[in-house]
Amino acid sequence: MSRRFEGKVALVAGGGRTPPEAGNGIGVGAATSMLLAREGCRVAVLDRDVDAANRTVKSIAETGGEAIAIQADVSVDADCARAIAEVQDAYGTLHALLNTLGITRSRRSVTQFVDEEWTAIMEVNVRGFMLTAKHAIPLMTEGGAIVNVSSADAVVPSHGNATFAASKGAVNSLTRHIAVREGYRGIRANAIMPGAMWTPIALTKLGTAVGADKKELPEAEREAVRRQRRQITATQTEGTAWDIAHAAAFLASDQSRWITGQVLMVDGGASVIAPWDVQNKPARTVADSTLHFVD
């Protein structure tokens, strides 16, 4: 493992870890935090649930890394200001901000619009990304990188939540705006659009019926659904949080110093395969080399 983040400080918003349960995977924020720490970064793990943040910090400490937990609601301006102040008190500076969080409430379409749902999702998925950047950028006095986790839903419409898709489209636009406006500070901004991954949030997204409130996918149905999801990708594989974490680490690192304002699709090729060709692909002939280091 390289040490490309030696001497660097990163804030991972949404970096908390859900209680480990067999088969439920790990979230993008926790995986990203752990990977950055493994490569020498000092990580501030921000989460609304401080217990979740502490679980990630514990996982980092167990592999010899350094991290602190910060409790904050990213939709609250004062919380974001306090969180950045805590990073400054602990480490004095900041080199990378990674917004890995996002919420959804249902699989409602435009015609099933619910105002309260719009407000709740936009407050976290858009306002939260705006506020963390607002307060983090002034602390990036040596330049740095912002990585926003968006979603394939932003550009590949599905029968998911219309408000969630709109929120992630806004994240893409916000990312490009930051790249243009803050480039003079030496700050880069890029976004990642994950496709179908196996993470804790997938359990509720997959279990939710079209037009209904979210519901966890029953255990008996999980393997069949996962097999179907693998089939819709060009690689016939299922992504994990580690796939997104490695992409995020690259975009946060100096190795991507000339990359900014970009939106990277990480979806196993699902967005480029023709729908009518899904059933006509030859079966995969090599084993899937799942990317991870600890889970």
Side-chain angles (χ1 to χ4, degrees):
M1 184 69 70
S2 73
R3 302 287 291 181
R4 58 181 162 171
F5 289 100
E6 198 76 58
K8 303 287 188 180
V9 176
L11 171 64
V12 180
R17 186 171 189 181
T18 56
E21 296 175 5
N24 289 6
I26 186 173
V28 171
T32 301
S33 299
M34 293 161 67
L35 180 61
L36 292 174
R38 181 72 177 266
E39 296 198 25
C41 194
R42 291 170 290 171
V43 182
V45 180
L46 183 154
D47 205 282
R48 185 172 59 180
D49 180 352
V50 71
D51 291 334
N54 279 320
R55 279 191 288 269
T56 301
V57 169
K58 181 175 181 289
S59 295
I60 288 171
E62 288 172 349
T63 56
E66 180 179 350
I68 59 171
I70 298 177
Q71 189 282 326
D73 181 341
V74 297
S75 68
V76 177
D77 197 344
D79 273 22
C80 290
R82 174 182 50 78
I84 297 302
E86 290 186 32
V87 174
Q88 186 171 24
D89 289 344
Y91 298 128
T93 189
L94 183 65
H95 302 98
L97 166 66
L98 300 99
N99 283 311
T100 67
L101 54 106
I103 65 168
T104 188
R105 291 288 187 87
S106 70
R107 294 184 69 186
R108 292 190 179 93
S109 68
V110 170
T111 58
Q112 299 166 315
F113 176 84
V114 176
D115 192 66
E116 181 276 332
E117 184 174 79
W118 172 275
T119 300
I121 291 173
M122 288 294 180
E123 282 287 295
V124 174
N125 294 8
V126 183
R127 177 181 168 86
F129 283 45
M130 179 82 77
L131 290 177
T132 54
K134 170 189 174 181
H135 293 288
I137 287 170
L139 190 56
M140 294 181 172
T141 55
E142 304 169 29
I146 295 175
V147 181
N148 291 325
V149 176
S150 176
S151 171
D153 282 354
V155 297
V156 183
S158 68
H159 289 287
N161 183 285
T163 300
F164 177 80
S167 75
K168 291 304 186 177
V171 166
N172 293 353
S173 293
L174 175 62
T175 301
R176 294 188 180 104
H177 175 86
I178 294 171
V180 171
R181 290 297 299 270
E182 307 302 331
Y184 77 97
R185 300 178 189 256
I187 292 173
R188 299 176 297 101
N190 295 286
I192 297 171
M193 294 187 293
M197 304 181 303
W198 187 247
T199 62
I201 196 173
L203 288 174
T204 52
K205 289 183 73 174
L206 294 172
T208 303
V210 174
D213 291 322
K214 66 181 182 181
K215 178 183 177 182
E216 187 165 300
L217 183 69
E219 178 116 25
E221 300 176 21
R222 292 178 188 178
E223 185 48 45
V225 170
R226 295 181 72 176
R227 185 167 56 251
Q228 182 183 49
R229 277 155 48 98
R230 289 192 288 269
Q231 277 298 110
I232 66 171
T233 69
T235 59
Q236 298 179 45
T237 57
E238 183 179 48
T240 73
W242 298 109
D243 296 297
I244 309 306
H246 280 272
F250 168 69
L251 290 173
S253 75
D254 292 338
Q255 292 170 321
S256 62
R257 60 173 291 275
W258 220 46
I259 301 174
T260 193
Q262 302 305 304
V263 180
L264 176 65
M265 182 71 80
V266 182
D267 70 341
S271 57
V272 296
I273 189 169
W276 55 85
D277 203 35
V278 168
Q279 301 301 323
N280 298 327
K281 301 192 308 294
R284 185 180 172 96
T285 58
V286 297
D288 179 14
S289 55
T290 303
L291 200 57
H292 66 90
F293 80 87
V294 61
D295 194 355

